[in-house]
């Protein structure tokens, strides 16, 4: 909604205040810090609106999130920090197709948030027999420029949210929303995580708090508008979201691994993998502060085989149980399968044996995953966002028109 001032109720003042009173800023809540929500928040922040972004996870950015890891090395003085490296845990590069998104990426580049990437990407076909793994590679020609984050995609996300009008609350799960029909405003409630330190222990406490009152709400997950979700949308345009629940999400995992010593050169920086346990693999090569050392960081993204394995284990709700042994069993199984196959790929392509194991591993489960279908595909509605103007409630996100980052960005822009 580009002009909120047309919809925000006019405030009344006492007579003596009329001369000095100034119009108050519209207060807008964005639920979810994925790229769609961040783009929307960035645009509204420039329009002199007060924006509050709520994110339930520890990191912001959704599929464009970046995590940092400190490297520790042994020295004569003991363990000390050597360097920091990062993983883009979801999207590895952006390749714009539409004219509109091309202009947006060019603007991001001018702002210093993203930069061109000319890494070699190949199509990698795997075939196995009882003794070995065979790999066939083919060049994957880019049909449009590829962009990566200036310092990981966190540069882009931080740039979009850098307005002084924008506030971000992480580890905050919005769990309740009420709308006051009389004053036409929203009140949000949420579960907030806080660290409580006492003597030698640190515990995490969760409590429900009032998150604030807002003139408008922007929800970026279809779950917000589904039956039993945050908002009652019956009788509105947004009801289309709840009626077409078959917008299926594909669960997936990202595995981030790093090797202290260089691996044999594979001859490419990214691969689209067919026939393996990983669907994609991308390398981040980071120079260590130690002389003549290069760290090889790879992000592996799971395919249907691993996802099916996880789904089978989830029949007993492994990931939702408090039993950490079961949870660790599932994550270990996924990690083991993907790492072993990656090392087999390296050995098959280079003909060199790899004895080194990764010295750090991070695994990320995408709860919402990637939408396999969209509203546009289900109900032939090409709009990139839906709006209830009476309540100033807006939905946007990749579930509207497609799973690509481009679709999510254009949805956020339209919202």
């Amino acid at each position: 909604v580009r002009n909120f001032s047309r919809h925000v109720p006019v405030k009344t003042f006492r007579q003596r205040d009329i001369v000095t009173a100034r119009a108050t800023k519209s207060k807008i809540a964005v639920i979810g810090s994925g790229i769609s929500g961040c783009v929307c928040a960035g645009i509204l922040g420039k329009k002199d609106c007060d924006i509050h972004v709520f994110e339930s996870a520890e990191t912001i950015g959704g599929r464009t999130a970046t995590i940092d890891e400190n490297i520790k090395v042994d020295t004569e003085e003991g363990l000390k920090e050597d360097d920091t490296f990062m993983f883009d845990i979801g999207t590895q590069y952006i390749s714009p197709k539409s004219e509109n998104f091309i202009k947006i990426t060019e603007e991001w580049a001018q702002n210093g948030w993203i930069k061109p990437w000319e890494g070699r990407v190949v199509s990698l076909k795997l075939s196995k027999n009882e003794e070995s793994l065979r790999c066939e590679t083919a060049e994957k020609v880019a049909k449009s420029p590829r962009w990566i984050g200036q310092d990981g995609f966190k540069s882009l996300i931080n740039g979009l949210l850098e307005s002084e009008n924008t506030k971000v609350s992480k580890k905050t799960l919005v769990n309740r929303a009420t709308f006051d029909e009389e004053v036409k405003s929203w009140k949000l409630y949420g579960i907030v995580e806080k660290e409580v330190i006492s003597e030698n222990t640190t515990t995490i406490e969760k409590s429900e708090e009032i998150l604030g009152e807002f003139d408008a709400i922007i929800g970026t997950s279809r779950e917000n508008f589904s039956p039993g979700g945050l908002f009652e949308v019956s009788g509105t345009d947004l009801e289309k979201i709840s009626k077409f629940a078959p917008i299926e999400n594909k669960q997936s995992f990202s595995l981030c691994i790093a090797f202290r010593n260089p691996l044999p050169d594979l001859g490419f920086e990214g691969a689209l993998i067919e026939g393996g346990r990983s669907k994609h693999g991308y390398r981040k090569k980071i120079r260590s502060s130690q002389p003549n050392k290069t760290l090889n960081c790879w992000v592996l993204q799971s395919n249907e085989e691993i996802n099916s394995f996880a789904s089978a284990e989830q029949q007993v709700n492994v990931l939702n149980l408090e039993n950490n042994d079961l949870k660790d069993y599932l994550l270990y199984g996924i990690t083991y399968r993907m790492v072993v196959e990656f090392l087999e790929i390296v050995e098959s392509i280079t003909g060199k044996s790899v004895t080194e194991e990764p010295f750090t591993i991070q695994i990320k489960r995408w709860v919402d995953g990637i939408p396999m279908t969209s509203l546009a595909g289900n109900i032939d509605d090409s709009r990139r966002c839906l709006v209830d103007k009476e309540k100033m409630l807006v939905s946007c996100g990749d579930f509207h028109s497609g799973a690509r980052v481009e679709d999510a960005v254009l949805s956020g822009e339209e919202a």
Side-chain angles (χ1 to χ4, degrees), residues 333-350:
I334 294 170
T335 301
Y336 178 80
R337 285 164 170 77
M338 294 175 69
V339 170
V340 167
E341 182 179 74
F342 173 73
L343 296 179
E344 289 177 348
I345 290 173
V346 175
E347 292 182 355
S348 175
I349 292 177
T350 64

Side-chain angles (χ1 to χ4, degrees), residues 30-147:
V30 179
I31 303 175
S33 71
I35 187 66
S36 187
C38 289
V39 166
C40 189
I43 293 172
L44 292 172
K46 293 178 181 178
K47 293 180 177 291
D48 206 28
C49 299
D50 277 336
I51 310 299
H52 198 148
V53 179
F54 296 100
E55 173 55 56
S56 60
E58 294 184 38
T59 55
I60 58 175
R63 282 192 286 141
T64 47
T66 304
I67 58 174
D68 296 308
E69 184 80 7
N70 292 327
I71 304 165
K72 303 290 185 179
V73 294
D74 289 313
T75 66
E76 293 180 357
E77 294 81 21
L79 201 64
K80 78 171 186 177
E81 185 175 308
D82 175 37
D83 209 340
T84 300
F85 60 89
M86 65 186 183
F87 294 108
D88 285 325
I89 58 177
T91 300
Q92 298 300 302
Y93 63 83
I94 295 172
S95 183
K97 296 185 180 300
S98 68
E99 183 177 341
N100 190 11
F101 192 42
I102 289 173
K103 291 180 180 178
I104 291 174
T105 53
E106 289 173 349
E107 181 181 337
W108 290 348
Q110 290 175 0
N111 292 336
W113 302 341
I114 61 174
K115 60 185 178 182
W117 184 59
E118 297 180 356
R120 183 175 181 237
V121 178
V122 301
S123 175
L124 192 61
K125 187 174 182 178
L126 308 185
S127 56
K128 296 185 178 182
N129 56 37
E130 294 181 357
E131 298 180 356
S132 63
L133 175 73
R134 182 181 176 186
C135 304
E136 297 178 12
T137 61
E139 194 79 24
K140 189 74 176 177
V141 179
K143 296 181 180 179
S144 57
R146 294 176 177 136
W147 300 91

Side-chain angles (χ1 to χ4, degrees), residues 196-217:
V196 178
I197 302 175
S198 58
E199 296 181 357
N200 297 325
T201 62
T202 300
T203 58
I204 302 296
E205 290 188 355
K206 298 180 180 181
S207 60
E208 184 180 78
E209 297 181 5
I210 297 177
L211 302 177
E213 296 185 8
F214 302 92
D215 300 307
I217 305 289

Side-chain angles (χ1 to χ4, degrees), residues 124 126 128 133 135 255 257-259 263-264 266 268-269 271 273 276-278 280-284 296-301 335-350 352 354 356-358:
L124 192 61
L126 308 185
K128 296 185 178 182
L133 175 73
C135 304
L255 185 68
I257 57 177
F259 299 85
L263 293 175
L266 290 169
F268 56 79
E269 285 69 50
I273 304 171
R277 295 188 174 110
S278 298
H280 305 93
Y282 294 95
R283 180 175 67 178
K284 303 287 185 183
N296 282 260
C297 307
W298 285 85
V299 177
L300 309 176
Q301 296 170 339
T335 301
Y336 178 80
R337 285 164 170 77
M338 294 175 69
V339 170
V340 167
E341 182 179 74
F342 173 73
L343 296 179
E344 289 177 348
I345 290 173
V346 175
E347 292 182 355
S348 175
I349 292 177
T350 64
K352 298 179 181 179
V354 179
E356 182 180 9
E357 296 181 354

Side-chain angles (χ1 to χ4, degrees), residues 106-369:
E106 289 173 349
E107 181 181 337
W108 290 348
Q110 290 175 0
N111 292 336
W113 302 341
I114 61 174
K115 60 185 178 182
W117 184 59
E118 297 180 356
R120 183 175 181 237
V121 178
V122 301
S123 175
L124 192 61
K125 187 174 182 178
L126 308 185
S127 56
K128 296 185 178 182
N129 56 37
E130 294 181 357
E131 298 180 356
S132 63
L133 175 73
R134 182 181 176 186
C135 304
E136 297 178 12
T137 61
E139 194 79 24
K140 189 74 176 177
V141 179
K143 296 181 180 179
S144 57
R146 294 176 177 136
W147 300 91
I148 59 174
Q150 187 70 40
D151 186 23
F153 277 113
K154 65 181 179 182
S155 300
L156 170 60
I157 297 301
N158 291 338
L160 291 169
L161 300 177
E162 68 181 353
S163 167
E164 62 180 12
N165 298 322
T166 302
K167 179 181 179 181
V168 179
S169 293
K170 296 183 283 188
K171 294 194 287 187
T172 302
L173 175 65
V174 180
N175 70 328
R176 195 153 56 96
T178 59
F179 182 71
D180 190 319
E181 293 282 358
E182 185 176 347
V183 297
K184 301 294 182 184
S185 70
W186 288 92
K187 183 177 287 187
L188 292 183
Y189 303 80
I191 304 298
V192 180
E193 291 186 17
K194 292 182 179 178
E195 288 188 355
V196 178
I197 302 175
S198 58
E199 296 181 357
N200 297 325
T201 62
T202 300
T203 58
I204 302 296
E205 290 188 355
K206 298 180 180 181
S207 60
E208 184 180 78
E209 297 181 5
I210 297 177
L211 302 177
E213 296 185 8
F214 302 92
D215 300 307
I217 305 289
I218 298 166
T220 62
S221 170
R222 70 183 181 90
E223 301 299 332
N224 298 152
F225 308 96
S226 300
L230 279 175
F231 307 110
E232 172 56 49
V233 295
S234 58
T236 72
D237 213 15
L238 292 164
E239 190 176 14
K240 293 178 179 179
I241 302 173
S242 61
K243 281 187 175 181
F244 288 87
I247 302 178
E248 299 178 11
N249 283 355
K250 182 186 293 184
Q251 177 182 240
S252 62
F253 295 84
S254 288
L255 185 68
C256 309
I257 57 177
F259 299 85
R260 190 174 300 281
N261 296 307
L263 293 175
D265 187 11
L266 290 169
F268 56 79
E269 285 69 50
L272 308 178
I273 304 171
E274 178 186 346
R277 295 188 174 110
S278 298
K279 188 175 182 180
H280 305 93
Y282 294 95
R283 180 175 67 178
K284 303 287 185 183
K285 193 164 73 173
I286 309 297
R287 180 69 61 184
S288 169
S289 59
Q290 290 183 303
N292 303 319
K293 289 260 187 171
T294 300
L295 300 170
N296 282 260
C297 307
W298 285 85
V299 177
L300 309 176
Q301 296 170 339
S302 64
N303 74 348
E304 287 72 13
E305 178 185 337
I306 290 293
N307 299 340
S308 298
F309 167 77
S311 297
E313 294 295 333
Q314 279 184 287
Q315 291 178 7
V316 290
N317 295 321
V318 170
L319 288 176
N320 296 324
L321 292 177
E322 294 297 328
N323 189 326
N324 288 327
D325 289 338
L326 288 174
K327 180 177 179 180
D328 290 345
Y329 166 75
L330 171 61
L331 297 181
Y332 174 81
I334 294 170
T335 301
Y336 178 80
R337 285 164 170 77
M338 294 175 69
V339 170
V340 167
E341 182 179 74
F342 173 73
L343 296 179
E344 289 177 348
I345 290 173
V346 175
E347 292 182 355
S348 175
I349 292 177
T350 64
K352 298 179 181 179
S353 177
V354 179
T355 58
E356 182 180 9
E357 296 181 354
F359 75 93
T360 187
I361 296 175
Q362 296 270 357
I363 187 166
K364 163 70 178 178
R365 177 197 175 214
W366 297 104
V367 180
D368 289 335

